[in-house]
Amino acid sequence: MFRPEDFIADTIANLKKTIPEKALIAFSGGVDSTVSAALVQKAIADNLIAVHVDTGYMRKNESKFVIKTMEELGLNYRFIDARNDFYQALEGISEPEQKRKIIGEKFIHIFENVADQENIQCLIQGTIAPDWIESGDALRAVIKSHHNVGGLPEIMKLKLVEPLRDLYKDEVRKVGRILNLSIAERQPFPGPGLAIRIIGEATPKRTELVREACDIVETEIEKAVNDGKMGRPWQYFAVLIPIKTVGVQGDQRAYGYTIAIRAVQSIDAMTCAFSTIPHQILDKISTKITNKMGAHINRIVYDITNKPPGTVEWE
Ligand code: XMP
């Protein structure tokens, strides 16, 4: 049985031995990177530098939230606004694995630059078991290259330390609760961010649309959960499908993109079942999205695929 208290004590002791004085952590503000940062901070205090990168593919107000979290934790941190860099790197790129690899490589180059400036040799990542299992190895097929695994260059200058590598999400949450981290209950958000919630090319314009749609899905579902109208899904978000369909807007013909609503129940993300969101909530989400973005989006669909055969994210 997994004992979070033992895991915490063993991990801190190990980190003290394995980290060569200073380290950087890729800090996304999600459960995995925050729990990793809290553990490493206990081992090496201010010799840990947390780096948060705004890739442009973050959720609405996410980077502000992340900065606030880093300040509350008392982390020694750096914030890097790399939005234009990422948008440019993904220009004209539609294939999901290529998108993931480019994003992973960009992240690593940014971290290598910070490490050079700060004279650091070690990178901490919040990789958990499903990330590397699904990224494939000699024994397993690649399902998708999780950005914190598949994007690593063959020759990486930094020593990589992954304190949560053998844990599943429910175990990471248990560790987070013992460490009193309020983010322990946050829904997972993938490293490549909204770029993999846009099918095909993740242009800045499409990103703005999916960012707004994700915000509406999150806000309405959280409201419904707080009002006792449904249980909290494991994950809930929007996907932009850049297929245009015909609709009406006022008394005019409309021709806009499609948004899919995705919400799933899971324990460890290795398998999942689609959530049954009550119809009135779906109705609210649909109306809000089309009211707000009717000029660009005029069709909303609901994804009723389990994993397998689907995956949680669409790319
Ligand atoms: P899939 O889509 O593979 O997702 O069923 C399983 C879980 O992993 C999250 N996910 C990622 N997390 N880097 C991450 O840190 C990634 O590249 C990545 N891709 C998917 C996904 O949101 C779900 O919780």
Side-chain angles (χ1 to χ4, degrees):
M1 202 181 97
F2 178 70
R3 291 174 191 276
E5 290 88 352
D6 294 350
F7 174 82
I8 292 170
D10 294 350
T11 305
I12 294 171
N14 263 333
L15 288 170
K16 281 183 178 163
K17 279 188 242 150
T18 41
I19 297 177
E21 197 187 342
K22 286 168 96 183
L24 271 190
I25 183 157
F27 193 89
S28 73
V31 180
D32 308 336
S33 66
T34 308
V35 169
S36 304
L39 289 168
V40 179
Q41 191 192 27
K42 285 190 188 301
I44 62 166
D46 267 2
N47 277 333
L48 172 69
I49 296 181
V51 181
H52 174 65
V53 181
D54 183 352
T55 61
Y57 295 107
M58 308 299 287
R59 283 172 292 186
K60 201 169 173 178
N61 298 323
E62 182 70 3
S63 283
K64 274 191 209 146
F65 173 86
V66 176
I67 290 172
K68 195 168 140 254
T69 308
M70 293 191 291
E71 283 176 355
E72 281 170 4
L73 288 173
L75 287 168
N76 182 5
Y77 77 87
R78 310 282 181 274
F79 169 66
I80 294 172
D81 179 353
R83 288 177 293 180
N84 290 335
D85 241 29
F86 277 81
Y87 286 150
Q88 266 170 24
L90 288 184
E91 222 177 284
I93 309 291
S94 308
E95 204 279 316
E97 275 301 291
Q98 221 185 334
K99 282 161 72 175
R100 283 175 167 275
K101 290 255 154 76
I102 290 172
I103 293 170
E105 279 164 16
K106 278 244 142 247
F107 264 107
I108 292 296
H109 284 133
I110 291 174
F111 296 133
E112 283 184 338
N113 280 341
V114 180
D116 276 351
Q117 287 160 14
E118 309 270 351
N119 196 20
I120 294 177
Q121 274 87 42
C122 174
L123 175 69
I124 314 283
Q125 287 209 123
T127 311
I128 63 171
D131 298 344
W132 59 264
I133 292 172
E134 294 197 339
S135 290
D137 57 17
L139 298 176
R140 300 178 179 88
V142 178
I143 307 295
K144 50 181 82 168
S145 304
H146 282 236
H147 98 282
N148 40 7
V149 182
L152 298 182
E154 303 252 308
I155 305 169
M156 204 178 65
K157 287 190 234 150
L158 295 165
K159 171 179 176 170
L160 193 63
V161 174
E162 297 172 317
L164 309 178
R165 197 180 158 75
D166 296 325
L167 267 49
Y168 287 85
K169 197 70 153 204
D170 53 324
E171 296 168 333
V172 181
R173 288 193 206 282
K174 285 180 188 159
V175 174
R177 283 178 209 128
I178 302 280
L179 294 173
N180 271 327
L181 299 173
S182 57
I183 51 73
E185 314 308 325
R186 282 195 105 193
Q187 64 160 322
F189 185 66
L194 299 177
I196 57 162
R197 291 183 178 172
I198 297 162
I199 305 311
E201 192 181 348
T203 63
K205 176 82 209 152
R206 290 175 180 180
T207 309
E208 287 315 317
L209 296 173
V210 82
R211 189 175 354 255
E212 200 58 49
C214 273
D215 186 57
I216 293 171
V217 171
E218 284 193 29
T219 306
E220 290 308 316
I221 289 194
E222 276 157 22
K223 222 185 275 171
V225 170
N226 292 337
D227 293 347
K229 293 185 177 150
M230 59 183 283
R232 184 181 295 279
W234 158 275
Q235 239 172 314
Y236 39 103
F237 55 89
V239 179
L240 185 126
I241 310 167
I243 284 182
K244 287 188 164 182
T245 66
V246 175
V248 275
Q249 186 69 354
D251 52 4
Q252 297 289 312
R253 180 185 195 270
Y255 189 48
Y257 289 148
T258 304
I259 284 282
I261 300 169
R262 179 78 164 140
V264 298
Q265 304 302 136
S266 180
I267 293 179
D268 56 13
M270 297 298 288
T271 61
C272 78
F274 71 86
S275 303
T276 48
I277 305 178
H279 282 182
Q280 324 96 281
I281 313 298
L282 287 172
D283 189 7
K284 261 196 181 166
I285 294 173
S286 167
T287 308
K288 277 210 163 168
I289 293 175
T290 48
N291 280 353
K292 192 144 196 188
M293 295 181 281
H296 306 284
I297 290 163
N298 59 345
R299 194 163 301 269
I300 313 292
V301 298
Y302 185 33
D303 181 355
I304 52 166
T305 321
N306 298 325
K307 173 182 181 176
T311 49
V312 176
E313 308 287 345
W314 280 38
E315 283 200 336

